[in-house]
């Protein structure tokens, strides 16, 4: 009586086995054909093609290794800094106006010292392009997966998105250093080192050694970013030599915080749009890009705002902002503790798939909200 049932399931498993065998055959057929074609060629062509294949395998190995290994990645990296005020630091003094006269603005013009913001920003660039390979300009990243942009796949793109997020925080900071924070001593003149750093760090993120628009040899993106780091360190060296000044004034801090809040707010909008309109759980291939970009941006601002705590210590103490600033740093650190293996963009009321993207958006909004509160206190 059981024989018909056994035969039925036997046939089912046979069909399944044949189907799997057919699928494997279809996948392997191009490789088998290429192998037969290769064995029929002469030894010179075999050597050339073999060498090309080995180079391609080596390139992919190097590419995959660099996308998966995050050197010196440390969500609590800002705690390692021990900012101190060096001996011989010029005491607090009224800030010079554009005409060279003193202006009654709360704060100080620092010189013969160093800027913690400049130091951390240069270190973040070093982390992005020296301690790690810059992924976005690698030729295999630009080629994509069979022509498909890696950002549209769930593979090998998290580190690139993270690096671009860190770079966004660096770019915002270099703009503020040029516009308000750094000046040639005794004048309102923009410092050339900071100008060079801003120009270099705003360079295209995806330039390889050669390009099509226009075609020809190029200086790759990481070289420009290394130049930016060197220019920032040159500014700090000149600051120690009393040749330039750092305007640690309340109005400059207000603008700096306001610009960072706006920058984070733009990222919050991107996360909200993705989480509301594309919430397909683990099957949303762009959710990881949004998540890791936001993560990288907060990673960068964690160190930069910790450095600002040092550079603007007098303002924070005078306005009673130290507890609120500590809260901002704590929230940034809490956001960086979220490191899921696979990013899921599930529905907020879902019960199967997590909502990692919404969770990151919540932390981004918390940080922005506290920065807006800091700004409102400074604006009184």
């Amino acid at each position: 009586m059981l024989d018909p049932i056994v035969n039925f399931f036997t046939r089912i498993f046979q069909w399944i086995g044949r189907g799997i065998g057919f699928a494997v055959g279809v996948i392997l057929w191009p490789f088998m054909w290429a192998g037969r074609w290769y064995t029929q060629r002469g030894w010179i062509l075999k050597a050339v093609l073999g060498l090309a294949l080995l180079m391609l395998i080596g390139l992919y190995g190097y590419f995959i290794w660099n996308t998966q290994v995050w050197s010196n990645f440390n969500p609590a990296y800002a705690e390692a800094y021990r900012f101190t005020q060096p001996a011989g630091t010029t005491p607090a003094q009224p800030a010079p106006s554009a005409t060279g006269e003193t202006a009654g603005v709360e704060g100080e013009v620092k010189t013969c010292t160093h800027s913690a913001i400049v130091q951390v920003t240069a270190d973040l660039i070093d982390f992005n392009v020296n301690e790690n390979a810059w992924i976005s300009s690698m030729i295999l990243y630009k080629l994509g997966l069979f022509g498909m942009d890696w950002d549209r796949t769930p593979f090998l793109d998290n580190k690139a998105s993270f690096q671009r997020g860190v770079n966004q925080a660096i770019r915002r900071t270099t703009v503020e250093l040029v516009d308000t924070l750094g000046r040639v001593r005794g004048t309102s003149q923009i410092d050339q080192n900071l100008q060079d750093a801003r120009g270099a760090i705003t360079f295209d993120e995806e330039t390889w050694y050669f390009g099509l628009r226009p075609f020809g040899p190029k200086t790759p993106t990481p070289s420009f970013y290394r130049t930016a780091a060197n220019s920032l360190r040159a500014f700090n060296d000149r600051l120690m030599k009393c040749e330039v000044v750092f305007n640690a004034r309340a109005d400059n801090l207000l603008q700096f915080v306001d610009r960072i809040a706006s920058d984070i707010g733009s990222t919050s909008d991107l996360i909200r749009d993705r989480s509301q309109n594309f919430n397909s759980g683990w099957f949303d291939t762009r959710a990881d890009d949004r998540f890791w970009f936001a993560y990288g941006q907060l990673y960068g601002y964690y160190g930069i705002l910790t450095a600002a705590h040092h550079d603007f210590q007098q303002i924070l103490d005078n306005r009673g902002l130290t507890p609120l600033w500590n809260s901002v740093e704590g929230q940034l650190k809490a956001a960086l503790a979220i490191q899921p293996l696979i990013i899921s963009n599930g529905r907020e009321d879902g019960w199967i798939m997590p909502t990692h993207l919404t969770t990151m958006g919540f932390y981004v909004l918390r940080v922005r909200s506290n920065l807006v509160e800091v700004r409102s206190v400074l604006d009184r």
Side-chain angles (χ1 to χ4, degrees), residues 61-135:
Y62 176 79
F63 171 65
I64 293 172
W65 170 265
N66 279 290
T67 59
Q68 301 306 302
V69 177
W70 300 34
S71 300
N72 296 323
F73 171 78
N74 178 15
Y77 73 98
E79 297 178 356
Y81 285 96
R82 295 291 181 267
F83 301 117
T84 57
Q85 202 74 358
T89 297
T90 299
Q93 53 185 292
S97 66
T99 60
E101 300 175 352
T102 60
V105 180
E106 179 186 6
E108 59 180 339
V109 175
K110 295 183 178 180
T111 189
C112 307
T113 182
H114 74 285
S115 164
I117 292 176
V118 173
Q119 178 185 345
V120 170
T121 304
D123 289 347
L124 285 170
I125 298 173
D126 186 62
F127 166 73
N128 251 358
V129 297
N130 290 328
E131 297 173 10
N132 292 273
W134 180 256
I135 305 299

Side-chain angles (χ1 to χ4, degrees), residues 35-50:
R36 289 193 298 269
W37 181 88
Y38 180 77
T39 56
Q40 297 171 3
R41 303 304 103 183
W43 68 269
I44 296 179
L45 184 58
K46 285 182 179 179
V48 172
L49 293 176

